Amino acid sequence: MPFLGQDWRSPGQSWVKTADGWTRFLDEKSGGFVGDISSFCKKDDHNKENLFNSLNYDVAAKKRKKDLLNNKAKIQYFHQEKWIYVHKGSTKERHGYCTLGEAFNRLDFSSAILDSRRFNYVVRLLELIAKSQLTSLSGIAQKNYMNILEKVVQKVLEDQQNIRLIRELLQTLYTSLCTLVQRVGKSVLVGNINMWVHRMESILHWQQQLNNIQITRPAFKGTTLTDLPLCLQLNIMQRLSDGRDLVSLGQVAPDLQVLSEDRLLWKKLCQYHFTDRQIRKRLILSDKGQLDWKKMYFKLIRCYPRKEQYGDTLQLCRHCHILSWKGTDHPCTANNPETCSTSLSPQDFINLFRF
């Protein structure tokens, strides 16, 4: 009975299939050359290794080509539809594909500040970056940050609105830069130290410009807020979400001063921003034994963050991981794209790029 790989008609001889056909080899008993078989086996192993490496190379090449095409498609969609893809791979891939600085550059916040619905959102994002994320931006992103900030200041100087909001932003940024410049030896800032000193001087100049604003009374002499019925005046005040605006409004006229002290008004303001548990921990009684909601509000804002309110926000599609402004469509492949969209606060947007 013959056995596999050996010719039964001539014991001691082995036949092996090669690229040139079947080749006969002799073993040690038949006086053949063992080196022939070993050399062939080595050659065969070498061919297998080359084949394996070739397959791996083909797979890797196809993968790189596919990724390149996908990246080109994503960048093209971004320029046309104003949205950005948030990569959900490993930490290294995700960090290399889209950092906070890249997202900050791509989403075109310069145009967003021209939209009144997005203005407060962009300002809040600039403030959060100034507090803790400034050093995580690249040199281009930091330059873009200062350019956007300059446009924000110019818009406020022209419109004479949101002055206090921008003052707080500039003060936060200046305080952060003072701390970072003192640690410049640790290379925490990108660029020459003289450039950052110049930027700090620009911030001081902007602050001075905001302080010199003289708000003029409009020439129109029609119906004013004080001409409306008291119930309408109170209804308008209830739509203000910042207690400091209520205090400022109360300083305009004596009648508005009385309305701005309404206990129910301050109670609703506290209940809007804070939970019942937070309120119970900060109870303050007046001289009459009643809850002083106004004092409680200002005490609560020193202890807890207020509820943020924006006319327009960034949206994250959980299905496609697409980041875009609200109302901007993207080619979502989900069955119900509306249910996959999640609204992001400025802090949520920053948290997307923490690794």
Side-chain angles (χ1 to χ4, degrees):
M1 184 70 183
F3 55 89
L4 186 63
Q6 186 174 11
D7 186 2
W8 63 276
R9 293 169 297 179
S10 54
Q13 297 181 356
S14 299
W15 292 81
V16 180
K17 188 176 182 180
T18 64
D20 299 330
W22 287 90
T23 305
R24 183 176 64 178
F25 292 90
L26 300 178
D27 56 11
E28 294 178 340
K29 295 181 180 179
S30 59
F33 297 96
V34 182
D36 295 341
I37 299 179
S38 61
S39 62
F40 171 78
C41 291
K42 291 180 180 178
K43 181 179 179 182
D44 188 55
D45 291 341
H46 179 70
N47 292 335
K48 289 182 179 180
E49 183 178 358
N50 290 338
L51 179 62
F52 180 76
N53 293 335
S54 177
L55 291 175
N56 286 343
Y57 176 79
D58 292 340
V59 172
K62 291 180 180 179
K63 185 177 184 302
R64 287 195 299 269
K65 183 177 180 181
K66 181 178 179 181
D67 292 341
L68 180 61
L69 293 176
N70 290 340
N71 290 340
K72 288 183 178 179
K74 293 165 190 171
I75 296 174
Q76 181 180 4
Y77 274 121
F78 161 73
H79 287 298
Q80 295 179 356
E81 302 293 341
K82 302 298 182 185
W83 54 265
I84 183 173
Y85 178 79
V86 180
H87 188 57
K88 290 292 182 181
S90 64
T91 300
K92 182 177 180 181
E93 291 173 346
R94 182 181 174 190
H95 182 77
Y97 184 88
C98 188
T99 62
L100 175 62
E102 292 175 353
F104 186 79
N105 290 333
R106 292 183 182 183
L107 284 171
D108 193 14
F109 289 105
S110 298
S111 301
I113 61 176
L114 302 178
D115 191 337
S116 58
R117 299 171 302 170
R118 302 173 181 175
F119 182 82
N120 290 352
Y121 188 97
V122 176
V123 171
R124 177 58 177 167
L125 181 60
L126 294 176
E127 183 180 5
L128 291 176
I129 293 177
K131 286 182 178 180
S132 60
Q133 301 296 319
L134 193 60
T135 57
S136 65
L137 301 181
S138 62
I140 297 178
Q142 290 177 357
K143 181 179 180 181
N144 187 31
Y145 179 95
M146 297 301 299
N147 292 336
I148 294 175
L149 181 60
E150 183 178 5
K151 293 180 180 180
V152 168
V153 174
Q154 295 302 324
K155 177 177 175 57
V156 173
L157 292 175
E158 295 175 1
D159 301 341
Q160 295 186 348
Q161 298 178 2
N162 302 302
I163 299 176
R164 185 182 64 238
L165 189 66
I166 306 306
R167 282 177 179 170
E168 295 175 353
L169 168 60
L170 293 178
Q171 184 59 40
T172 300
L173 178 59
Y174 187 80
T175 303
S176 298
L177 288 179
C178 288
T179 304
L180 295 175
V181 168
Q182 293 175 358
R183 299 188 303 169
V184 70
K186 298 181 180 179
S187 302
V188 294
L189 289 173
V190 179
N192 189 280
I193 183 62
N194 295 328
M195 176 184 64
W196 283 103
V197 171
H198 175 71
R199 290 175 177 175
M200 294 177 66
E201 293 175 351
S202 299
I203 295 174
L204 293 176
H205 177 66
W206 295 335
Q207 288 177 326
Q208 186 63 36
Q209 287 182 310
L210 293 176
N211 293 333
N212 294 335
I213 289 181
Q214 297 292 335
I215 299 178
T216 57
R217 183 181 295 272
F220 176 74
K221 297 182 179 180
T223 303
T224 62
L225 179 61
T226 55
D227 296 332
L228 299 175
L230 294 180
C231 59
L232 293 180
Q233 296 181 28
L234 187 60
N235 192 349
I236 293 174
M237 289 185 174
Q238 290 176 353
R239 301 180 184 276
L240 299 177
S241 60
D242 195 332
R244 294 172 296 181
D245 294 334
L246 284 177
V247 174
S248 300
L249 186 59
Q251 298 173 354
V252 174
D255 295 339
L256 296 177
Q257 171 67 27
V258 176
L259 290 178
S260 65
E261 297 293 335
D262 184 74
R263 292 183 63 253
L264 183 60
L265 186 65
W266 289 98
K267 178 181 179 181
K268 291 183 177 180
L269 194 60
C270 289
Q271 293 176 341
Y272 173 77
H273 286 288
F274 310 105
T275 64
D276 293 338
R277 183 177 181 181
Q278 292 172 342
I279 293 175
R280 288 195 299 267
K281 290 183 177 181
R282 299 292 185 269
L283 295 178
I284 299 178
L285 298 178
S286 63
D287 298 336
K288 298 180 181 180
Q290 298 177 336
L291 291 176
D292 195 331
W293 291 100
K294 183 178 180 180
K295 291 183 178 179
M296 288 171 55
Y297 170 81
F298 288 104
K299 186 174 183 179
L300 286 166
I301 62 175
R302 291 194 297 267
C303 302
Y304 308 105
R306 291 176 298 174
K307 182 184 295 185
E308 298 179 0
Q309 188 178 27
Y310 306 102
D312 195 3
T313 60
L314 287 173
Q315 304 286 322
L316 176 66
C317 179
R318 298 188 300 271
H319 178 76
C320 305
H321 304 299
I322 297 296
L323 192 62
S324 61
W325 285 107
K326 186 177 181 180
T328 304
D329 297 329
H330 68 274
C332 184
T333 58
N335 295 329
N336 298 317
E338 297 81 8
T339 61
C340 299
S341 181
T342 303
S343 180
L344 297 179
S345 67
Q347 186 62 59
D348 294 334
F349 171 75
I350 292 177
N351 292 340
L352 285 177
F353 306 97
R354 286 184 174 176
F355 310 104

